[in-house]
Amino acid sequence: MTREIPYKIYLEEDEIPRRWYNVRADMKNKPAPLLNPATHEPMKAEELEAVFCSELVKQELDDRNPYFDIPEQIVDFYKMYRPSPLVRAYCLEKELDTPAHIYYKFEGNNTSGSHKLNSAIAQAYYAKQQGLKGVTTETGAGQWGTALSMACAYFGLDCQVYMVKVSYEQKPFRREVMRTYGAKVTPSPSMETNVGRKINAEFPGTTGSLGCAISEAVEAAASQEGYRYVLGSVLSQVLIHQTVIGLETKRALDKYDIVPDIIIGCAGGGSNLGGLISPFAGEIVRGENNYRIIAVEPASCPSLTRGKYVYDFCDTGKVCPLAKMYTLGSGYIPAPNHAGGLRYHGMSSIVSQLYDDGILEATSVKQTDVFAAAQRFAKVEGILPAPESSHAIKVAIDEALKCKETGEAKNIVFGLTGTGYFDMVAYQKFNDGVMDDYCPTDEEIARSLAGCPVIS
Amino acid sequence: MTREIPYKIYLEEDEIPRRWYNVRADMKNKPAPLLNPATHEPMKAEELEAVFCSELVKQELDDRNPYFDIPEQIVDFYKMYRPSPLVRAYCLEKELDTPAHIYYKFEGNNTSGSHKLNSAIAQAYYAKQQGLKGVTTETGAGQWGTALSMACAYFGLDCQVYMVKVSYEQKPFRREVMRTYGAKVTPSPSMETNVGRKINAEFPGTTGSLGCAISEAVEAAASQEGYRYVLGSVLSQVLIHQTVIGLETKRALDKYDIVPDIIIGCAGGGSNLGGLISPFAGEIVRGENNYRIIAVEPASCPSLTRGKYVYDFCDTGKVCPLAKMYTLGSGYIPAPNHAGGLRYHGMSSIVSQLYDDGILEATSVKQTDVFAAAQRFAKVEGILPAPESSHAIKVAIDEALKCKETGEAKNIVFGLTGTGYFDMVAYQKFNDGVMDDYCPTDEEIARSLAGCPVIS
């Protein structure tokens, strides 16, 4: 007998995961190691510890242990906004008139407005444990910066955020949320760091990129006593913290004996996607199960679908380690589109390797199609989604409409990573019909990739 | 044996209330009837039906039936965002170092960002059932307008919103959310209605008030075929819809055998407060139980604490029925403070009567104190509260600190009606230290009340 599925599947508080899952332990082809940009040797723990918190370095380098325990204080913080609901999109199904069953894991019910808090609180915790004064970071759309500000306020840490200039200008209120939580916010590229001044001189009037902001935040951490740099995506540690999303999703589905046919996530740096799919990808690589997994990226920043899988710099200033990943080149500065969180030139090394191994597929979508899907979703599901999250909505709707044609009642699960409350400038452009659909030409991408691979 | 209380007490989907509670049925002193402003006779159903939906008129006038069934389609919509969590504020308690147990009913986890959706969906439903083309309304802070836009989009109704000009300017993104949901938004007083033109001529440069916006919306409804006017607070029907808050709160408390000592809510038009306290006030008036209930209003718009309990106009344009309520005079235009939702000159007739009967107390608080409390709460509880809601937070913190002095472990329950994502202009002023604490002088209030009572 099938139990009736509620609109929202909530787990109990004691069902919050107590361990993060490290999918690398189960991968046959391990992601390639980070390399020292000078020596081209794998980064050693002590080298990384100059920039990152020690415990986080351990997590970054460990591709053997399948689980990391979640410290009690982090679980306590999780209890303030987790478990997050797995929502059955009954109203969207009705609107689409599809036989498909659509589910979304909603991570937006916290003030940072997104899943970013899952890793922010972990990183702030380890920084506090290490006795640091504060941390520096970059932020694109501002969700990560907001999340880190909240986490730092909770543990009494100083927080310095370099915010991609285009987002800083498009989202003035994001800055105020961060300030309300006590953070210092600087538009990037700034004139406060050597790398910022250099980038400003080289590209006058640049609207910035995550790659630039990372370089500045790293420099700021290195030049202040008692500070370390923390990152909101791309790194394996972040993806691992985000597996709370996937673990809860799996548990909620299991409760109702739901087996997903398709799992969809938006892909910027890859951490939310990787966190959502890890438990499922683990089953695939272990040969236990099969699922169709789709990564969705913006047509304006198509690292998986149009980039190269090579060693590249993680940042524009070339101060960070080299990572093997799908990349558009570390100098790639996407058009000032509005899905700010999906503007990174590269991709998580775990997601890159899973993609190269054929465990997941990737597709790219146009911005106006994304906003049309967002609006359609908002009108029936009562949630105004973030532009980033709406990339996944767009493809979920497309797949549900295919089911309508074929009559298949597929189970479609997607990650709804956050809310769009701070993205109203973008929604306004869409409402006014003046939003563009810029995509880079092949020549632009080739030019940006000219220096890649940095090493082969 | 006491069960351990989780951070968030969630009810099951089938525990969503199926009936709204009409506290008037249990009140010994019934709220005074609405009067026809021309004849001073009690408003008849057929008179009200020229402006309001018929089913809502029935609810408005019925002070005998203790319960109204919630239609199935409304319950279905509720399932998208209800039951809302009752949160144990463990982190705030720790921060305050208080023996008090603090709980808050959080209504902000939906895109309208507040409790307003509870009544919006009900009013849209009845409008749709009646075969109307659309509805008109006013909005202050914008939460009500957003909620109604969402509800109308869901049922495919046209939605026309008159937004108090000061909020329209301070919250440009609110407008975009409403537009995204398909609503037409007009700053009030506008030049589109007779009453708007009149008010603009009389008070050039006015920043508007809820009273003005109501007059315009009523005129707009009356002058279009197939339209009715709907209201987001003040009316008894709205308060009754909001009793889902109180009923869920009561049920969640009962699950863990928690008896509240103090129940706190912010008071603008009175509907969220009334909705939260109705089940508890019902027990008091029936002599079954006793609770301390506190209504919190802004010092800039102190209708309960400094107004008169008399018959007054509900709107500035004097086109609506007369209501007996605590009022500052229908011409009262509060300073352009930022707690936009608490700017109404009057108060729900139910809340007014309960206050007059001594069932609840009232207090007023200064704006900067409210924002300081909001920030303190946000830093530890991970939710950025709306300025309106933060009035309740301020008093909850004060009461918890009194418990610290006396060593009492009181149970304090407050309504956290919404989130402050669209209030960042106000937070910015607070962060920058340029927020004012304007309070009206006795002379100003006396002048505004000069025409009151309209009838005695």
Side-chain angles (χ1 to χ4, degrees), chain A residues 14 20 199 284 380 418 447:
Chain A
D14 60 11
W20 294 302
I199 292 167
I284 300 175
V380 292
R447 200 157 49 236

Side-chain angles (χ1 to χ4, degrees), chain A residues 256-336:
Chain A
Y256 289 86
D257 299 321
I258 304 157
V259 179
D261 295 292
I262 309 175
I263 303 162
I264 301 166
C266 64
S271 70
N272 100 74
L273 173 77
L276 171 66
I277 69 169
S278 272
F280 304 95
E283 292 183 11
I284 300 175
V285 296
R286 293 193 305 267
E288 296 167 4
N289 233 324
N290 213 355
Y291 307 99
R292 190 172 162 217
I293 298 176
I294 309 175
V296 189
E297 51 186 17
S300 59
C301 196
S303 49
L304 286 173
T305 49
R306 295 176 68 193
K308 268 194 206 172
Y309 188 35
V310 291
Y311 266 107
D312 191 12
F313 291 99
C314 289
D315 63 324
T316 311
K318 305 186 178 179
V319 300
C320 289
L322 300 173
K324 189 177 176 192
M325 58 184 178
Y326 278 88
T327 179
L328 295 163
S330 65
Y332 186 76
I333 295 191

Side-chain angles (χ1 to χ4, degrees), chain A residues 246-260:
Chain A
L247 293 165
E248 283 186 9
T249 301
K250 181 85 176 74
R251 192 156 188 170
L253 291 170
D254 285 350
K255 270 203 174 177
Y256 289 86
D257 299 321
I258 304 157
V259 179

